[in-house]
Structures are given as structure tokens and as C-alpha cells.
Amino acid sequence: MKITVVGPGALGSLFGALLGRAGHRIQLLDHQRPRAALLAARGLLLEENGRKERVSILATTEPAAVAGSDLIFLCVKSGAVGESLAAIASFLSPSSLLIACQNGIGHLEPLRRLVPADRRSVAVTAQGATLIAPGHVRHGGSGPTRLGVIEPPVPAVLTQAAGVLTAAGIPALVEGDISQAIWRKLLANAAINALTALHDCPNGHLAADSRLRKELSQAVAEGAAVAKALKVEVGSDPVADVLAICRATAENISSMLQDVRRRRRTEIDAINGAIVAEARRLGIPVPVNERLLQAVKAREGDFG
Ligand code: KPL
């Protein structure tokens, strides 16, 4: 398959490396010219179970290069989705399928607006990826990647995409109702990402520290109340589910903490910001998520 990965961050580099290693023709689309040149020259360095492996890929800064791709994994940060889609949308072939892989729910609106219904889908992934340096990614654990569409029907190529990912070592399945997976991940990100970013700790610390565990439980319970009001099923014990993710990814540095350590803008608006916005619309109090949103924004303000 001809596969384009848009955005060589942690997840994009991981998907690019694993799919490239599986024998697919991978091109990475990057908006930064010097980094694209580096990736084209050196490929991707994949670190997995203490072993390092170099995977060759193509890299380009030309949005037109997506033309003719069977699958396009959109792996840019949530805040960059609108701009990225505006650049590539006119080059999507009728047979291309774009799979948006962001955290949160902020990407769904630009996806609906800019990509035709039969060419858009979303992925919710539990893959652990840490970007060590440009082009150097560490695979920090493997959970399921759930694929789905915002509005049915599910195109046949999405089932093919699940097979391609699974064969490459990214276990994937197609979900009939992806909103459940989106919201379950949203609750995990709202608690884990914001708290780890503010306390500069790996995910496992949140389950081990009683004060942080309480804050995590409150943030998740608030988000679950919003999901319930929206009639999205998030399971019978979402707090236990999020604590289980903390323990399963105990050593992982959350994507938001990676952003904060690099002094980069985070996805807080698409995560806690989205929960707060929905809660306001529905008249549901979410004081813990509001506090987390403001605290992470204040931290971003320090970046200048
Ligand atoms: O999705 C994640 C992230 O870091 O963005 C979790 C599940 C919290 C793993 O770190």
C-alpha cells in the first residue's frame, strides 16, 4: 500500500517506522524543511525493547505528494489539524482514506468540514510512543488501536487498514460506534495528561499517590457525567479504567508532559477544554477540569 503519514511527531514516527518495517511504501509529510531533509537522509530510528533499528522512508514537504495514497494517517497535534487538512484536502484521491489519529475531540469539526464523508475516518490508539529526537522514536508499549467513522457507513478500506496495522505490529480493530472509544480515551487524557504535565511525573505516579489519585478520580467522574448527558457509553467504572491505564503505562511520559518539557503548545484545549465547553453547554459543573485547563494554560503562558 502507498501510505502517507502526516506529522513526524511521536505517533507519526512510530506508525511510519512500524509500517515501513512491514514493507509498505511510506512517505512522511512534514511542514519543516530541514527536518524533512534529515528524515529523508536518515530514515526513522525505532527503539523497541532496548533494540534500535533504522527504517527507510520517503519524506517531503509537498502537500501534493499525498495524491495517490491509499491510506493517510493524520498524526499532527489536534491544534494543527485544520491547517494540515486545508493543505492536503484537495489532493485526496477518491480512493484515499484519511485516518485522523488525534487525542481529544477538537479535530472532529475540521475533519467534518474539510474532508468528504467517504474519505474520512478516525483512530483512537493506545500505542505508547515517545519522541526522543527528530526521527528517533521509542515504542513504549502496545494497546489496541480502534478505527471508526463519524457517520456510517464504514468503508471496506477501513477494515483493510485495520489488517495492515495489525500485521505491522499495531493491533487494530474497527468499531461500529467510535464515539465510545473517543470519549473513553478523552477521559483518560483529561486526567492523566493534565495531571502528569502539571506534576512532571510518569503516568504510574498518579495511581500510586493518594492525593493525585483523588484528583484523577474527580476529573474522570466529571468527564463521565458529561459523556452520560451526551448519551455516550463510557463503561460502568471509568475511574477504574483510567487507573488501569496509569498502571499499564506506568513508565510512560504522557504526550502532554512531553509537550510541556519541550515548551510546546499542548492539546489541553482539545481535551479538558472540550470537556469544559460541552459541560457549559449542558449546564454541568466540572470544576476540576476547569482548574486543570487553567493551570496547563498558565504553564503554556510561561513558554513565551
Ligand atoms: O494517550 C496518552 C497520552 O500520553 O497522550 C496516554 C494514554 C495517557 C498514555 O500516556
Side-chain angles (χ1 to χ4, degrees), residues 27-157:
Q27 67 174 358
L28 262 165
L29 177 61
D30 189 358
H31 68 285
Q32 283 185 30
R33 217 168 272 282
R35 188 173 55 188
L38 180 89
L39 295 172
R42 294 205 199 145
L44 292 165
L45 184 62
L46 172 67
E47 200 176 317
E48 214 178 16
N49 305 322
R51 282 203 316 271
K52 287 185 185 157
E53 188 179 346
R54 211 164 269 287
V55 181
S56 314
I57 45 109
L58 302 169
T60 176
T61 54
E62 279 309 318
V66 303
S69 296
D70 301 297
L71 297 176
I72 296 133
F73 290 95
L74 184 69
C75 296
V76 298
K77 292 278 180 195
S78 182
V81 166
E83 202 183 325
S84 296
L85 288 180
I88 63 173
S90 63
F91 300 110
L92 296 178
S93 327
S95 61
S96 297
L97 183 71
L98 182 130
I99 306 180
C101 305
Q102 285 66 37
N103 279 331
I105 52 177
H107 58 298
L108 301 178
E109 185 279 321
L111 188 63
R112 274 200 187 93
R113 184 163 43 84
L114 295 165
V115 182
D118 59 343
R119 287 171 223 177
R120 66 183 177 221
S121 64
V122 293
V124 178
T125 185
Q127 288 292 331
T130 304
L131 195 67
I132 309 295
H136 177 181
V137 65
R138 182 182 297 146
H139 193 190
S142 180
T145 294
R146 299 174 194 280
L147 305 176
V149 290
I150 319 176
E151 301 96 9
V154 172
V157 63

Side-chain angles (χ1 to χ4, degrees), residues 2-278:
K2 181 177 171 191
I3 299 174
T4 298
V5 176
V6 184
L11 188 66
S13 299
L14 180 71
F15 275 22
L18 291 174
L19 289 163
R21 187 174 68 177
H24 296 286
R25 196 150 49 95
I26 303 298
Q27 67 174 358
L28 262 165
L29 177 61
D30 189 358
H31 68 285
Q32 283 185 30
R33 217 168 272 282
R35 188 173 55 188
L38 180 89
L39 295 172
R42 294 205 199 145
L44 292 165
L45 184 62
L46 172 67
E47 200 176 317
E48 214 178 16
N49 305 322
R51 282 203 316 271
K52 287 185 185 157
E53 188 179 346
R54 211 164 269 287
V55 181
S56 314
I57 45 109
L58 302 169
T60 176
T61 54
E62 279 309 318
V66 303
S69 296
D70 301 297
L71 297 176
I72 296 133
F73 290 95
L74 184 69
C75 296
V76 298
K77 292 278 180 195
S78 182
V81 166
E83 202 183 325
S84 296
L85 288 180
I88 63 173
S90 63
F91 300 110
L92 296 178
S93 327
S95 61
S96 297
L97 183 71
L98 182 130
I99 306 180
C101 305
Q102 285 66 37
N103 279 331
I105 52 177
H107 58 298
L108 301 178
E109 185 279 321
L111 188 63
R112 274 200 187 93
R113 184 163 43 84
L114 295 165
V115 182
D118 59 343
R119 287 171 223 177
R120 66 183 177 221
S121 64
V122 293
V124 178
T125 185
Q127 288 292 331
T130 304
L131 195 67
I132 309 295
H136 177 181
V137 65
R138 182 182 297 146
H139 193 190
S142 180
T145 294
R146 299 174 194 280
L147 305 176
V149 290
I150 319 176
E151 301 96 9
V154 172
V157 63
L158 196 62
T159 309
Q160 250 177 291
V164 165
L165 287 168
T166 303
I170 305 166
L173 65 157
V174 176
E175 293 277 357
D177 178 3
I178 197 69
S179 63
Q180 295 186 12
I182 291 176
W183 271 82
R184 283 174 197 228
K185 178 98 191 279
L186 180 63
L187 299 189
N189 289 138
I192 300 175
N193 293 27
L195 286 168
T196 53
L198 293 170
H199 295 277
D200 194 35
C201 61
N203 297 352
H205 188 64
L206 302 181
D209 179 291
S210 59
R211 195 176 58 83
L212 293 177
R213 199 166 57 233
K214 185 167 169 215
E215 228 182 317
L216 172 146
S217 307
Q218 290 167 333
V220 175
E222 288 179 5
V226 177
K228 190 171 173 207
L230 292 169
K231 303 201 177 347
V232 178
E233 176 55 57
V234 288
S236 58
D237 195 347
V239 172
D241 293 343
V242 174
L243 285 170
I245 295 175
C246 288
R247 295 186 184 107
T249 60
E251 302 303 322
N252 207 61
I253 300 301
S254 78
S255 55
M256 196 172 287
L257 178 52
Q258 291 183 50
D259 287 338
V260 166
R261 285 183 175 173
R262 287 204 177 87
R263 300 175 70 78
R264 280 173 33 152
R265 224 184 121 202
T266 71
E267 293 186 308
I268 195 74
D269 285 326
I271 300 175
N272 305 72
I275 291 179
V276 167
E278 284 295 330

